[in-house]
Amino acid sequence: MVRCFSTVHVTVLLLAWSTCSTAAAVNLEGKLQQLTDTFNQFKVEVQAKETRLQAEVAELKAKVTGLEAQLQLHESFIANLQNPTPKIANDIQPKLINGMPTSCAELKSIGHIWSGLYSVMGVNMVETIYCDFTKALGDPGLQKWIGYTDVKSVPVYFYVQKDNSFNLTNIPIPFERVVNNVGNAMNLDTGIFTAPVTGTYFFAVSGMVYFPSSPTSRQEIGLALYSNGIEIGLALADEVGTVEQFGTYDMESTLNLKSGDQVWLAIKYKSTDTYVFDNFQHQNHFTGWLLQQDFNNSAYHTSV
């Protein structure tokens, strides 16, 4: 049987075939693009992992190098202990020391191998130094001075006040109220401070005094700071007036004291009816503290 197709039928078949071919081509291009994107992403991830692995390898190499250097230091130290003969021309032999170390050389000679900051005993204060223990015992680069270390064997500071008037001369002024007295170096009943350790101390006093009516004469009062009975400084207050009035005084001092030295405040002289005035408002103050301790000359105390 012979089939006959019209022009319309042929055209429809061609259009259907063309549409299918175009859809297939578009689908293939999409899949190709998807594969390309996946490959590029995989490539980026592989490169990132490679970079991380390289960094980890470099870090491990650095650690191995550090461990090798430490092992060499240990081996060198053990060798020095077994054979005290110096292996370096300008080196010094390891030795035992008495007392506190005073340098990187002494620290190294007694076994320290880790470079870093160390505290050592200076002339009379604790000092901080940097020790480079990769250097030989005689190499100027072994030690670098950093500065002083604020170290105290005991904390010492006080602040006391009065709450009543006082008019006796040449007698330590007692203080009735304590704000703080760390170290218990200030005796409130006697008004005497006793240095617990040798060192440099700071003191400050201030307060109020009373002057009676004095139409023609000058009224005055002098308060002195004493150290072991020796006058250190004098605070003078004076007035001339027809009515009674108040005056003020103040004084500061920095003293080098030995352990057991005593410091106090006293009225050295005064005019008649003149006195140190105080009441519940606490106008008179005495304060002091240890600035720095002289360790070479200190008597070490665990308590005061």
Side-chain angles (χ1 to χ4, degrees):
M1 178 186 293
V2 178
R3 294 180 180 272
C4 296
F5 297 93
S6 66
T7 303
V8 173
H9 289 155
V10 172
T11 301
V12 170
L13 290 173
L14 289 174
L15 287 173
W17 177 82
S18 176
T19 301
C20 293
S21 298
T22 302
V26 170
N27 188 40
L28 287 174
E29 289 179 358
K31 290 184 177 181
L32 179 60
Q33 183 62 45
Q34 184 179 1
L35 289 173
T36 301
D37 294 342
T38 301
F39 174 76
N40 289 335
Q41 183 178 357
F42 176 74
K43 185 178 179 180
V44 170
E45 292 177 355
V46 169
Q47 290 176 345
K49 289 182 179 180
E50 183 179 0
T51 301
R52 287 197 298 270
L53 287 174
Q54 289 176 349
E56 290 176 359
V57 170
E59 184 179 355
L60 288 173
K61 287 182 178 180
K63 289 182 178 179
V64 170
T65 301
L67 290 173
E68 289 176 346
Q70 293 174 14
L71 180 60
Q72 290 177 355
L73 286 174
H74 282 288
E75 291 175 346
S76 176
F77 176 66
I78 293 173
N80 285 335
L81 290 178
Q82 295 174 343
N83 180 15
T85 302
K87 294 183 178 181
I88 303 175
N90 295 325
D91 212 348
I92 60 175
Q93 294 187 16
K95 62 179 181 179
L96 296 176
I97 62 173
N98 294 321
M100 292 182 288
T102 62
S103 66
C104 292
E106 289 188 353
L107 288 170
K108 187 171 184 179
S109 70
I110 60 176
H112 287 273
I113 60 173
W114 306 107
S115 299
L117 295 175
Y118 288 85
S119 294
V120 296
M121 190 65 235
V123 176
N124 57 12
M125 293 180 61
V126 177
E127 300 177 2
T128 299
I129 57 177
Y130 174 77
C131 299
D132 183 359
F133 289 129
T134 63
K135 306 294 184 182
L137 286 173
D139 191 323
L142 174 64
Q143 176 174 315
K144 180 179 180 181
W145 189 81
I146 302 299
Y148 294 104
T149 304
D150 186 15
V151 177
K152 301 177 180 67
S153 61
V154 291
V156 183
Y157 54 92
F158 72 92
Y159 173 35
V160 294
Q161 301 172 330
K162 287 195 66 59
D163 61 12
N164 55 58
S165 298
F166 189 83
N167 65 354
L168 301 178
T169 59
N170 299 311
I171 295 176
I173 299 176
F175 289 83
E176 294 77 29
R177 184 172 187 267
V178 58
V179 178
N180 55 58
N181 189 17
V182 176
N184 296 320
M186 166 57 75
N187 187 315
L188 292 180
D189 295 332
T190 64
I192 296 176
F193 171 86
T194 303
V197 295
T198 299
T200 303
Y201 293 78
F202 174 81
F203 298 95
V205 295
S206 63
M208 182 177 291
V209 292
Y210 169 81
F211 295 105
S213 174
S214 176
T216 58
S217 63
R218 174 173 172 265
Q219 301 290 323
E220 63 179 359
I221 184 172
L223 292 96
L225 190 68
Y226 293 90
S227 175
N228 295 332
I230 300 174
E231 182 181 330
I232 300 301
L234 181 69
L236 176 65
D238 62 338
E239 291 289 347
V240 176
T242 57
V243 296
E244 60 181 5
Q245 53 191 310
F246 297 97
T248 60
Y249 67 91
D250 65 86
M251 176 172 39
E252 297 81 30
S253 182
T254 301
L255 303 176
N256 294 320
L257 303 177
K258 294 180 180 180
S259 176
D261 284 352
Q262 295 184 325
V263 175
W264 64 84
L265 178 69
I267 300 175
K268 183 180 180 180
Y269 59 85
K270 68 182 188 68
S271 301
T272 304
D273 296 329
T274 300
Y275 56 86
V276 172
F277 175 83
D278 216 315
N279 55 23
F280 66 95
Q281 293 180 315
H282 314 297
Q283 286 93 352
N284 292 271
H285 314 270
F286 190 9
T287 185
W289 57 86
L290 173 62
L291 291 174
Q292 69 180 38
Q293 184 173 346
D294 183 345
F295 280 89
N296 275 349
N297 299 299
S298 284
Y300 295 93
H301 295 280
T302 56
S303 62
V304 178

